Amino acid sequence: MEVSTDTPKSIWSQILAILGKNPRLSVFLILAVISTALSKGIFLSPANLHNMLRQYAGIGIMAVGQTFAILLAGVDLSQGSVVALVSMILAYLNTSGCGIVWPLVVGLCAGAACGLTSGLIVTRGKVPPFIATLAMASIARGIATLITQARPVYGLSKELLVFGRGTVGGIGIQILVWANVALLGVFLLTRTVYGREVYIVGGNERSANLSGINAHRVKLAAYILSGVCAALAGIVITSKLDMGGPYISLTDNVQSVASVVIGGTSFAGGRGSISGTIVGTLIIAMMNNLMNLMLINPYIQQGIIGAIILLTVTMNQRKAGVR
Amino acid sequence: MFQVQRDLERKTAASRLGNLFLPLALAVIIAVCAFISPPFLTQENLKNVIIGSATFGILACGMTMVLVTGEVDLSVGSQVALTSVIVATLAPKSLALAVVAAVVATTLVGLANGILLTKTAMPSFVLTLGTMGIVRSMALVIADGQPVYGVPQSFTALTSTMVGKIPLVGVAMVVMYALTWFLLRYTSLGRSIYAVGSSSESARLSGISARQVKIAVYAMSGFLAGIAGLFYTSYVTLGLPDGGVDYETQAITAAIIGGTSFFGGEGEVHNTFLGLFIVGTVKNILNLMGVSPFVQPVAIGILIITAVVLRTRKSE
């Protein structure tokens, strides 16, 4: 912690200074306190917290993959569409008598394939990630709607519903999936050679290439990871909704990017962390949860999330500028 | 200054070569369309293509300027919704007031985007992602989440009004493109926009304020979003707070297919105009041929990738 060089200040200004240096934490804490106070404690009830986490597990899983793309100075705008595509594949195969193993395998492969395609377009085709994944989003959504001519698919088998509705030791399975994906992400980024390469390539691609790192391969792997995360989110979301929907997750992509950005990962690449992303997702989840508890006009939810993005990113940049 | 000028000359020379490619591509697409589907060239159908593209087209005009400065504006779709809600809410009192208020509102949103961008040095993607949500909420709160009725007949007639054989909205779009083209090519602001986009450093050295240029560009993008929103409102005949979703994507698509670089410094509005009609024509012919509408996004996605890959290959 830094010691203030100014004249001693009141405890409040010191607290403010600490919070100012940890924008994510401060927003998180302030929101938690406000949520608890305004909801008269309901916010902190285990049932409410559990519900909230179950609801945002899908976005949380996407955001972990998104972190890799953004750390590499890219972005994956196709995640929401991949969720819909995987959802349709799962539901269609499951209801046409393929059991549950094949639908899951094909769904995960489809997610990986979408990520691989985006990655190839970015690296081989030299298309900016924004454009490449925007095009991929369009293509994946198109294929998702083509499978049944845009009709949702109902009547999934019971085994498939486990991912969105089952619990292990009282904890929703999708929360466990989220936790595992996040842990795996943290492990990849902090404990493996690949993780170090992600930061190096994201920080400066030229010097990474000069030091013998194959930047293309690092990026390709990141987009595949992002696609697989989207596929996992697709499985969890489909199972929770108990249907395959071609138009689900239309706004989830924005929330996934917002989680990462609120979590302090720099859009220029090279700086950020999965733990930040998780806090980012939790901030969005808490915000929406509080509004629902308070029966606040739902129309301002998007605006509040927008304001939080602007607030935390400005604070992050102040912090980076001070350093 | 000489460096900037030389950069500009090189860029214009390169794009002059590229200029042949886009009109040729559009001509080939139109010829193929006319050949495989005779109804394509009927006046009624072409009118539909123009009306269907015009809102995106006006947005794409502003988006091109924003992209040339090396930034992006994701909030224009929400701004279209805001315009439509303001027009529908105020129109019963005074139509003129409603129209002016709506365009002033979006121009202010654009101005705020520009000021925030230059004050905070936030990436424009993140900043406008934030304002996209805020502006959407403004539209939803004003309209209380419901469609707003109250757009007078005289205003909804705007879309179907014909000037000669061209719908009014098409004429408005062409006027916007002509003005922007003139601005980019023959004014010092236009030259500054390219200079800032190709190299902020050399622009700064030659005395151009990147800050002022970017604020101006975002304000113009907001103004054009307001104009696009007016025609959108006239077309849907309602104030739609949840309208205009994803319109920013459509605008970016037209600009990118028209050869605008995502990294700034390159792009011209007349090429965006051609890009817009390439997209519009492809969508239209798929419709005419009775291809499932769900194939359209797949086709557009492939079109975007092909266009950008071809252009990067050519420039290398």
Side-chain angles (χ1 to χ4, degrees), chain B residues 93-117:
Chain B
K93 288 187 188 123
S94 154
L95 185 59
L97 171 75
V99 168
V100 172
V103 177
V104 167
T106 57
T107 311
L108 286 177
V109 169
L111 208 58
N113 273 335
I115 291 171
L116 280 173
L117 181 81

Side-chain angles (χ1 to χ4, degrees), chain B residues 7-58:
Chain B
D7 272 1
L8 282 180
E9 271 159 23
R10 190 169 49 78
K11 293 255 158 70
T12 12
S15 61
R16 218 165 264 150
L17 266 174
N19 278 356
L20 281 173
F21 181 71
L22 275 172
L24 228 62
L26 183 59
V28 168
I29 291 173
I30 288 177
V32 170
C33 289
F35 181 70
I36 53 181
S37 171
F40 175 76
L41 277 182
T42 57
Q43 198 200 334
E44 188 61 25
N45 184 55
L46 292 179
K47 187 181 132 192
N48 286 339
V49 174
I50 292 174
I51 292 180
S53 311
T55 311
F56 308 143
I58 297 174

Side-chain angles (χ1 to χ4, degrees), chain B residues 10 23 35 44 58 68-69 73 80 98 106 113 135 144 146 158 164 171 176 189 199-200 211 215 247 276 288 291 293:
Chain B
R10 190 169 49 78
F35 181 70
E44 188 61 25
I58 297 174
V68 168
T69 59
D73 188 351
V80 166
T106 57
N113 273 335
V135 174
D144 201 21
Q146 303 293 321
L158 219 58
V171 176
M176 293 301 153
L189 176 61
S199 162
S200 285
R211 180 173 286 209
I215 293 175
Y247 275 32
L276 177 77
L288 287 181
V291 177

